[in-house]
Each structure stands twice: as structure tokens, then as C-alpha cells.
Amino acid sequence: MSTELMRVMQNSKAYLQSVVLVLLFGLVPFLVHAQKASLDSLVKKFDTYRTVASSEKIYAHLDKTVCLVGETVWFKLYLVNGSTHLPEGLSKVAYIEIVDAFNRPVVQSKVALKEGQGRGLLYIPASVPTGKYTFRAYTNWMKNFNAEAFFHKEISIINSFRPIEESKAQSTSTPIIQFFPEGGNLVDGIKSRIAFRFTKGINSLANEKVMLLNDVNDTLATFQPDSMGLGSVEFRASTSEKYHLSLPGRNNLGGAKFPDILDKGYVLSVRDSTDKQIALKIESSIISNESPFVFVVIHSRNMISLSATQVLSSGKAIVMVDKAKLYQGISHITVFDMNVKPVCERLFFSPVKSKLKVQTNLSQTQFGLRRKVVLDIVTTNEHNDPISASVSMAVNRLDSLVHKDDANLFSYLWLSSDLPEVPDLPLDFFASTSNRKKVILDNIMMVNGWRKFKWQSVVEGPPLLSFAPEARGHIIMGKVTREDQARSRVLTYLSSPGLNIQVYGSISDDKGNVKYEMKDFYGTRKVVVQTNFSLDSISRVQILSPFSDKFSKRSYKPLILPPSLEPTLTSRNISMQVQDIFYQDRGAASRNSSIDTTAFYGKADETYYLDDYTRFPVMEEIMREYVPGVLVRKRKDGFHFFNVDINHKSQFDEDPFILLDGIPIFDADKIMSFDPLKVKKLEVITRRYYLGALSLPGVVSFTTYRGDLGGFQLDPKSVVLDYDGLQLQREFYAPNYETKKLRDSRMPDQRNLLYWAPDVNTDNSGQKRIEFFTSDLEGDFKILIEGIDQQGRAGSGHGSFRVRAFEN
């Protein structure tokens, strides 16, 4: 081949390459426009998902996390909007449980929420064995989502009535490790970072260097885990090599295998590069002209802060993101390919500036027995400006049973509530501005990627929501069946016998489900559920448990109780029993005075107190003689009532809704045979009344003297059960020793929990003075305060003092 011909061919090849490049880059604007439509569609779907699947967060401040059976755990609940953290949760009911390692509940309760807050207590029964348990809290609305979103708190319960069994600690000689590639992938030939988490044997790794080796034992990188067992290294992965970790003097490391390395794929790395920006580096080994675009979406708590289309040049791109555009707290950085499929995700933590500061000022640091403690609480914002806030406060005696507890409302809302696993952080961790804090947070973000948020739920449409928010009260759920088959369009009734006349109706849906939205349903009540047996005597209604059957995957180290704890356990057990004996009548449960006791139909059109009239021995005579609003007729099938319809100046042509102590009675013959001497009051509604699914042709309501049905026998097909409603409120009892006479009282005072105040509100100057008294116990006491203001600023405060016996 001649030199000239070769030159012509080379020029032609160069020309063709230039033509291809021109065509390719000339198409870029059109491709960008087409892909922008895909990105806009994704953002629109996200907005729809956010609207439908709005979230709530709930936090519980416990007075203690180590308790004996027979003791009471007091708690304060904080419910906030999951996106804004404002205390404006829609739900008005919270569900509280203590479950064991096998997710079996040992205590359950329901608590009323008002303006995003609630309070209550749990009594630990003597049947509970010693061990680690989970205190969890959630709302009915939160049951629509993953149980990981529930509030969880590890607590220890000790049964001091049973001998302490010798426990052996699990061996931690072999550290257990997990691997987390940054962005989710390791790709052949692309340099990237991988994070490590040691879940066991952390203490044995102190001051030791871990080496990353290939299959020929070449050292590729070295790192030292921090005190929480976290660390990361950067290296270039290859599919032709195998990797493992090594510790000096260790034969092996247990745990998950090293992550698979992809032949082709995407890698995302995030660097906190400057004070004002973070850098997102996206790299792909997929041929660039096949996939020249990616989408980047950053969102935080279901709010998008950035969405963009990015062109890859030679399979690479760097996106600079202004920190000012990111929301506070955890941001999810997700990379999508051209098919809008998520291929990489990374979490990034932006500093939280809005914070509630809580300061505790004690009148002194040491007190005598039965002496007044004066505590001033001061709440300010991040700029030290005074603000009012709602806080809860516990004052506990420190002993060998009290565990260090650094969890707090601020760290929960901004960190723990959005991540499956967060190591224990110091109480003042977020107050630090050190680079070490940034490194720790970055490692935590990397080991928690691809968390509970699933983009598939966004792309495929809003999730099916089975549980309604309890915006007005507790919802009792049930299921209607007939011969074990779900029945639809069946009208059912739920009521509770008593002097407060409330009836709830529900028509079963196509799956047989019924629900009753209860009003002011407090305490343990007898509940009666039935259909109209005169029309349907076959259908049955089953009441379902309102507690969630979903559980998060949690594991705790075994509870180790050394024999040296025996004296402390004995002392605390004696203190508990003394308090129960001498003060069991204090702080008794009392019903909320704000409960509306008006009957569901309001003021009756006609009311008769039967003691005001001549007492007849037969109900028929009473109805005929002095109840003009009800006409009584006796036909072949028995008695019938027909109420006057005062609005239409006529009478209804069907039986009215007959009630006895709030229980629907569908057979007038049974009422007519009931002893009228047991009836105190009779009320009549002479108009059509609508109640939810019910259309009532008038009402005839009989009330006995005690509201207990007076021995009336309900239809055996009725479902009758004792049902726990919302907790009745109890007040924490704290004695007053203001005078010498009171201090000299011979009544023992063995309080380990000196003071519990769930509803403390600082004024507009951010101040509140609290006064309480010490007990007969010496020792060191700790103060822990949690709180939030109306703008969603959360914070904690703590203090301590000492109690010693002094001569009067």
C-alpha cells in the first residue's frame, strides 16, 4: 500500500470520527430535553408519594431504662410531623408496648395524644422474667409503613423475686464485621471507598490497625476502627482479585463476606470539599455513548432539595452542590440511570442549626434528707434567645443498676429515627464542632445507605394504606364473617354499657372489615358488638387487636447480672415494696375531667325520670301512660314501637332505635318484659337522627340506675368482651416536707425516682421554676430534661446533685 493511500485512509478515518463526535454532541441537547421529561415525571411521582404517604415520628422520654418487676415506668410521648419536625402530628392515639426478644408483648397500652404530646405509665408485672426488652411506640398511621419507623428503646427488666442465675458473657475474641461500599457498589477498575462496621469485639480492636489484603496478601490499605467500630478505606477494586481483612495476631475475622465486584456499573463518592459545597463524583464503566446521562435527586424527610440531569463525559461527572440548598439533617443522594432506575445511593448529614438549649440551675449541689430542691429551667434557641418550650423531667437516684443513657430527643429526630442502626453517641455529641464529629457522622451515613426509603414505592405509585390516622380518637377494628367467609355490606353496632350513652355503627367493606371511631374511650370497658339479629342472625363480628404484628430486626447483648449486684437489688426491692405499702392509694387513676358525657344524640326531645311519676309494675303501662312520643302496638310477631316524627307531623313506620344503657336492643318484647323499677331515666328522640352509617327513625333510650344493664340478658350471639381503651391519667406522687412537722413524719419515703414531671412549660422568657423534695435515701441523683418548642426545635438538659444525711 502506497504512502499516499495510507495518508488518505487515515484522513478519512479522522474525518469519520469527527463526524461521529459532531453528531453525538449535536444530539445531546435533544437527549437532555427528552430525559428532562423523565426527571420531571420522577419528581412529580415523588411529590404524589409525599402527599399520600406523609410520615410521623414519635419519641418516648422514659423515667428509667432499668427497672424491677413491680415498678412503674413513666413516659412522655412527643409526636411530630416526619418532614418538618413540628409538634403537629395528626394522630390522637399512640400504642405502647414492651416486647421480649421473641417479639412477644409483656405489657401493652394505648395513650391519648393532644397537640403532639401524651403521657402515661406501664406497670411491670411480677411474671416477667429477667432480661433485655424493647419499649416501642407508634401510631395507627405509622402501621402503614415499615416497623423500623417505630420508636424503639432497649430496656432491662430484673425480676428480683427470682434468684439471679449466673450469666456468662459471650466471647468477643472474634470480631464480627460488615462491609458497605460507598454508593452501594464496587465496580471493576474504579477507585472507590468502602466502609466497615464491627458489630462485636469492638473493645478488643482498640489501638489495632486493620489491613485490607488481596488474595496474594498484598496490603492495599490500612485503617484503624474508631471506638464505635467504624472505619473506611479507599482502593481500586478488581474482579480478578479476592479481598479480606487482617488483624495482627488474629487468625480470622468473622462476619459477612466481602461484597461482590461488578464487571460494569456505577460508583458514587461524596466529599465534603469546602465550607460551602459538597462534591458528588459519579463514575461509570458502562460505555458512555450508550448511557451518557444520569439523574441526581437529593431529598430529605420526603422533601426534594435538588433534582438534575447530568451528562457523563468519558463515563465521569462531578456535581458541586451548595450546602445552603440542603435541608438540615440526613439527605439521601440518589443516582438514576437513563431508565430512571436507582443505581447508587449515599447519605449525607448536614449540620442542624435549629436547636433547643435547656439549662438547669440548681439552688445548691448538696441537700439533706427530706429537703426542698429548687431548680430553675431555662430554654433558649440556637442564638441564646429565650423561647417557651414544653419539656419533661425525671430526677433519678444513681446506683449500680442505672445504665448510661445518652439517647435524647434531638439525636432521635435528626439521626436515629431515620437510620436502622446508630451507635451510642455522647449526650453532647452534636454540640461539638470538631472534625472528628464530621468523620464519625460520615461513617454512620455510609454504613446506613439504601435504608428504609424505597424508590420502587415512588415509581410504582403511592402505597396501599390500610390504617387510617386516628385524628379524633381510638379506632376499634373488626371483621364480619359468615361461615368463616368475609361478608360485605353488613351493618354492625358497637357500644359500651354505662351512663355515657355512645353507639357506633359501621358497614363492612368488601373484605368484611369494620371500624368504629370511639369518642373519649378511656379505661377498661365492656364492649358489646352485634348485628341486627332480627335481620341477620348468622353473621359474626370479630374484634381485632389494634397493636402491630410487624416488628423490626433488633438484637441485644444478654443481660449480665454479677452476684455483686445482690445488695443493690435487695435495697431497691425493699424500697419499692415500702412505697407500695404506704403510698399505694396516692396518685390513683382518675378519669379525664374534660370528657364529654353528653349522649350521642345530644339533648333529648323528651326526658322522663321515672321516679317523678307513678311507678307501674309493667313496662307497657309506662310507655302507654306517659310517653306520648312513642306509640306502642302489639302484633302477631310481638310488640313494636313507633316514634312520632315531629318534623313531618306524622309517625315513623318502622321501629325506633331502642337502647338500654347504650346497648342496642332489637327485640321490643325483651324491653317490654324488663323490670321498670330498674330504670331511672327514659329519653326519646322524635325525629330522624343520622349517626355515621346509621339512619335512625327516632330513638328510645332506657337508662338504669347504675348503667350496668340491671341484669338484662343480652342476645347470646352478641360479642361481649373487656376492652382496654386509652389510659386513664395518673399523677406522680411526690410528698411535701415544707415544714418541720412534715419532715418529722414517721411515714417512710424510699423514692429512687424523686420527681417526674411530664408537662412542664417554660414561659415566654424561657424560664420555669420547679420545686420538689428529697427522700430518705442518700446518694447521687441525676436530672434529665427533654423538650421541644412550637417551631420543632428539640433539645435536652441535664444536671446532678448529692443527698446526704445531716443533723437538723
Side-chain angles (χ1 to χ4, degrees), residues 487-767:
R487 302 297 299 176
S488 63
R489 307 302 302 169
V490 176
L491 180 58
T492 64
Y493 307 85
L494 182 146
S495 51
S496 178
L499 300 177
N500 184 15
I501 310 301
Q502 301 293 332
V503 179
Y504 307 89
S506 179
I507 300 175
S508 58
D509 62 17
D510 56 355
K511 295 182 180 179
N513 297 318
V514 289
K515 62 181 181 180
Y516 313 92
E517 190 172 53
M518 310 302 289
K519 176 186 178 184
D520 295 332
F521 195 73
Y522 287 85
T524 300
R525 306 261 295 274
K526 191 175 295 296
V527 166
V528 179
V529 188
Q530 53 191 331
T531 62
N532 186 336
F533 299 123
S534 64
L535 303 176
D536 182 355
S537 61
I538 302 177
S539 297
R540 295 291 181 268
V541 184
Q542 176 191 2
I543 296 300
L544 306 177
S545 170
F547 294 94
S548 176
D549 58 359
K550 298 178 182 178
F551 297 90
S552 62
K553 296 179 180 179
R554 308 182 72 82
S555 61
Y556 301 128
K557 297 177 182 178
L559 179 59
I560 308 300
L561 297 177
S564 59
L565 277 181
E566 193 74 47
T568 302
L569 286 174
T570 301
S571 174
R572 188 156 157 180
N573 194 7
I574 292 174
S575 296
M576 174 189 66
Q577 294 186 62
V578 167
Q579 291 300 109
D580 286 344
I581 292 171
F582 288 93
Y583 299 97
Q584 60 181 342
D585 60 335
R586 309 295 176 93
S590 59
R591 190 167 183 174
N592 192 327
S593 60
S594 65
I595 292 177
D596 183 5
T597 58
T598 305
F600 71 87
Y601 45 76
K603 187 178 185 302
D605 298 320
E606 299 176 9
T607 300
Y608 305 92
Y609 288 92
L610 301 193
D611 287 340
D612 295 340
Y613 298 84
T614 301
R615 278 291 195 173
F616 294 106
V618 180
M619 189 71 74
E620 182 179 358
E621 293 182 86
I622 292 175
M623 299 301 296
R624 292 185 185 277
E625 289 296 327
Y626 52 79
V627 185
V630 181
L631 304 178
V632 178
R633 299 288 184 268
K634 189 171 184 179
R635 297 175 176 173
K636 291 182 179 181
D637 59 346
F639 281 101
H640 290 271
F641 292 173
F642 298 98
N643 279 25
V644 171
D645 184 355
I646 193 172
N647 290 334
H648 296 87
K649 300 186 182 335
S650 62
Q651 68 181 51
F652 293 104
D653 57 1
E654 52 186 320
D655 286 285
F657 199 50
I658 303 174
L659 301 168
L660 177 62
D661 288 339
I663 304 300
I665 307 298
F666 302 104
D667 187 347
D669 286 354
K670 290 186 176 182
I671 281 292
M672 296 301 273
S673 63
F674 187 63
D675 185 357
L677 296 178
K678 295 180 179 180
V679 176
K680 177 182 179 181
K681 181 175 65 172
L682 171 60
E683 294 185 314
V684 179
I685 302 297
T686 55
R687 49 195 158 81
R688 184 168 291 277
Y689 190 87
Y690 296 94
L691 179 66
L694 305 178
S695 175
L696 310 178
V699 178
V700 179
S701 177
F702 299 85
T703 304
T704 64
Y705 284 90
R706 300 173 61 179
D708 58 358
L709 297 177
F712 184 89
Q713 296 298 311
L714 295 173
D715 193 296
K717 294 185 288 294
S718 301
V719 176
V720 183
L721 69 156
D722 291 328
Y723 191 90
D724 290 329
L726 304 180
Q727 267 198 28
L728 293 168
Q729 294 298 305
R730 280 187 62 182
E731 298 298 327
F732 176 79
Y733 174 70
N736 185 312
Y737 298 121
E738 193 69 54
T739 66
K740 186 177 187 303
K741 181 179 179 180
L742 293 172
R743 289 196 298 271
D744 292 341
S745 168
R746 300 184 64 180
M747 287 279 286
D749 185 354
Q750 296 288 304
R751 287 173 297 134
N752 282 277
L753 176 63
L754 285 186
Y755 196 67
W756 167 253
D759 299 315
V760 177
N761 295 296
T762 58
D763 58 22
N764 291 333
S765 64
Q767 299 186 45

Side-chain angles (χ1 to χ4, degrees), residues 430-450:
F430 283 98
S432 170
T433 57
S434 67
N435 287 329
R436 181 175 177 272
K437 184 184 79 169
K438 292 175 62 174
V439 172
I440 291 174
L441 283 171
D442 203 46
N443 285 332
I444 292 175
M445 295 301 105
M446 283 201 294
V447 300
N448 281 286
W450 295 110

